Amino acid sequence: MSVLLFSAGEAAAHLAQWRALAETALEPNPFFGPDFLLPYLAHMKIGEVALLAVRDEADGAFLALVPFHRRRAGLAVPVTSACAGDYGPLGTPLLAPAAGPAALALLLDAAARAFGASTLLFPWLRTDGPVSGVFDALARESGWHVARTAPGMRAGHAAGPAGEEQFRLIGTRRRKELGRQLRRLQEAHPPGRFESLSTAQEVEAAFERFLALEASGWKGRRGTALACRPERAAFARAFVSAMAARGQIRIDTLEADGAPAAMLVTVRDRDRVFAWKIAHDERLARFSPGAQLARRTMRCTLDEAGVSDTDSLAIPDHPMIAPLWRGTVPYATLVVSKGPVGALRGALARLDIAADSHLRRLARAALARLRRIRASGRD
């Protein structure tokens, strides 16, 4: 095995091996694949990112790949981290099924040398999958110490009988209320119908409608909608177009008065589905269009062949999605360190992450309280 370090600008020479690894990796992570990462790095200007890969000397196939960049662990401590962010909150490395802890150790040792870092971060890494197990084996077999911090649970759902059971777990009162709201929407703003689009041409046209819908709401007013910044829109269009060409994007829509009342963009990577972006028409909020669509999307995904589970990518205890998608997706930030200096920096990083997580929870709670106060004032 050997190690290869390259930039996004040099990726064309390694695209076939990178794509082959992404399509067969031990766990799916579309946000570390080239269709997401190359447009993201080209347009979003998040700083210098280097891709580190381990390859098989015999045939040149990639056995492991992680994009790394420098960032703060939380509020203060600088670290080298896997490049996972708000638009792709999943830091699971791409590992070939046969790679094992030896390939991962080689990648981490190379990262430590290349970035002068004895502490590495893997944010939002799923802790219920085989890659998490490879990190545990790495800790047993090498000098790397692996610690999990800032654990969380975000909403998701299973497939098959378990998924069907989760679909029925919604409370009777809530289910009846959604049915009543949908009937009222259909009466007041016909047709009130659902539509799922998945061909490349359909998806690209629908995504333009999604960009406009998202920008019309609170994200547009706050300036965080994709369409608010040209670089964001360019990245998102390129990503969605590339994935749609491979049949990996579905856009579900609830339509009212000939316009979208709610839209949800999902990404499928082999047997796993990710709910990437959702938006709704705030003028129709009394009909709960986002919740209507989230439940309909769950039903559509349960009816799809070959799906194992769905990840909402939402914050923990999201007020809309968590009551509807009753499965859970566990994750944590892995702090991986080596040697006495690494152990010290790793401990500081964990404290930094914990402080940052606490402040974020307080901010979310304050924002939720403010929204409840505003909502009660309108009643």
Side-chain angles (χ1 to χ4, degrees), residues 210-345:
F210 174 86
L211 291 175
L213 179 62
E214 185 188 48
S216 71
W218 66 269
K219 287 186 178 180
R221 294 190 296 274
R222 190 179 291 180
T224 59
L226 290 167
C228 287
R229 299 285 294 273
E231 64 273 19
R232 282 191 212 141
F235 141 67
R237 286 188 178 108
F239 163 56
V240 168
S241 178
M243 296 290 279
R246 296 177 176 276
Q248 294 178 261
I249 298 284
R250 191 181 80 213
I251 299 183
D252 295 336
T253 302
L254 171 59
E255 188 177 307
D257 289 332
M263 302 183 78
L264 196 158
V265 182
T266 59
V267 178
R268 180 166 176 175
D269 191 334
R270 290 176 288 156
D271 64 339
R272 186 163 290 162
V273 174
F274 301 87
W276 189 56
K277 287 288 179 181
I278 189 169
H280 72 274
D281 187 336
E282 294 178 359
R283 296 171 298 180
L284 304 175
R286 65 186 181 279
F287 304 112
S288 299
Q292 302 281 0
L293 187 60
R295 184 154 171 81
R296 175 69 175 195
T297 293
M298 182 177 178
R299 178 71 265 161
C300 291
T301 304
L302 288 172
D303 292 338
E304 263 192 56
V307 174
S308 64
D309 62 279
T310 296
D311 184 343
S312 72
L313 300 178
I315 60 172
D317 302 317
H318 189 280
M320 187 274 286
I321 198 69
L324 298 174
W325 291 7
R326 303 298 291 274
T328 55
V329 177
Y331 65 89
T333 293
L334 263 63
V335 182
V336 186
S337 56
K338 195 171 193 179
V341 174
L344 176 59
R345 184 169 287 275

Side-chain angles (χ1 to χ4, degrees), residues 37 67 82 99 108 163 203 244 253 259 285 304 314 365 378:
L37 202 57
L108 297 178
V203 164
T253 302
E304 263 192 56
R378 289 194 296 267

Side-chain angles (χ1 to χ4, degrees), residues 49-281:
V49 175
L51 293 106
L52 192 60
V54 175
R55 60 183 173 185
D56 189 328
E57 285 291 278
D59 59 8
F62 281 7
L63 301 175
L65 182 141
V66 176
F68 284 109
H69 69 147
R70 295 287 291 176
R71 50 160 280 202
R72 296 192 185 280
L75 301 171
V77 179
V79 293
T80 296
S81 170
C83 185
D86 292 340
Y87 293 105
L90 187 64
T92 305
L94 296 180
L95 291 179
L104 182 58
L106 182 60
L107 185 141
L108 297 178
D109 287 336
R113 291 192 300 271
F115 302 106
S118 52
T119 301
L120 304 167
L121 253 59
F122 293 87
W124 294 299
L125 188 141
R126 283 189 65 150
T127 54
D128 62 343
V131 171
S132 181
V134 174
F135 273 98
D136 289 336
L138 171 83
R140 292 191 299 268
E141 300 173 13
S142 73
W144 286 95
H145 177 261
V146 177
R148 291 167 176 81
T149 190
M153 290 276 190
R154 55 194 184 204
H157 67 80
E164 295 291 347
E165 177 62 25
Q166 290 166 3
F167 188 74
R168 293 190 293 268
L169 279 175
I170 181 175
T172 302
R173 180 180 299 179
R174 178 61 168 150
R175 184 166 57 248
K176 289 182 176 178
E177 177 65 9
L178 285 173
R180 182 189 65 81
Q181 290 173 322
L182 181 58
R183 290 191 296 272
R184 289 192 174 183
L185 173 66
Q186 291 167 335
E187 292 167 359
H189 304 277
R193 68 184 178 197
F194 295 98
E195 184 178 40
S196 291
L197 304 172
S198 56
T199 70
Q201 187 174 3
E202 290 172 335
V203 164
E204 291 198 29
F207 190 62
E208 293 303 315
R209 296 195 294 275
F210 174 86
L211 291 175
L213 179 62
E214 185 188 48
S216 71
W218 66 269
K219 287 186 178 180
R221 294 190 296 274
R222 190 179 291 180
T224 59
L226 290 167
C228 287
R229 299 285 294 273
E231 64 273 19
R232 282 191 212 141
F235 141 67
R237 286 188 178 108
F239 163 56
V240 168
S241 178
M243 296 290 279
R246 296 177 176 276
Q248 294 178 261
I249 298 284
R250 191 181 80 213
I251 299 183
D252 295 336
T253 302
L254 171 59
E255 188 177 307
D257 289 332
M263 302 183 78
L264 196 158
V265 182
T266 59
V267 178
R268 180 166 176 175
D269 191 334
R270 290 176 288 156
D271 64 339
R272 186 163 290 162
V273 174
F274 301 87
W276 189 56
K277 287 288 179 181
I278 189 169
H280 72 274
D281 187 336

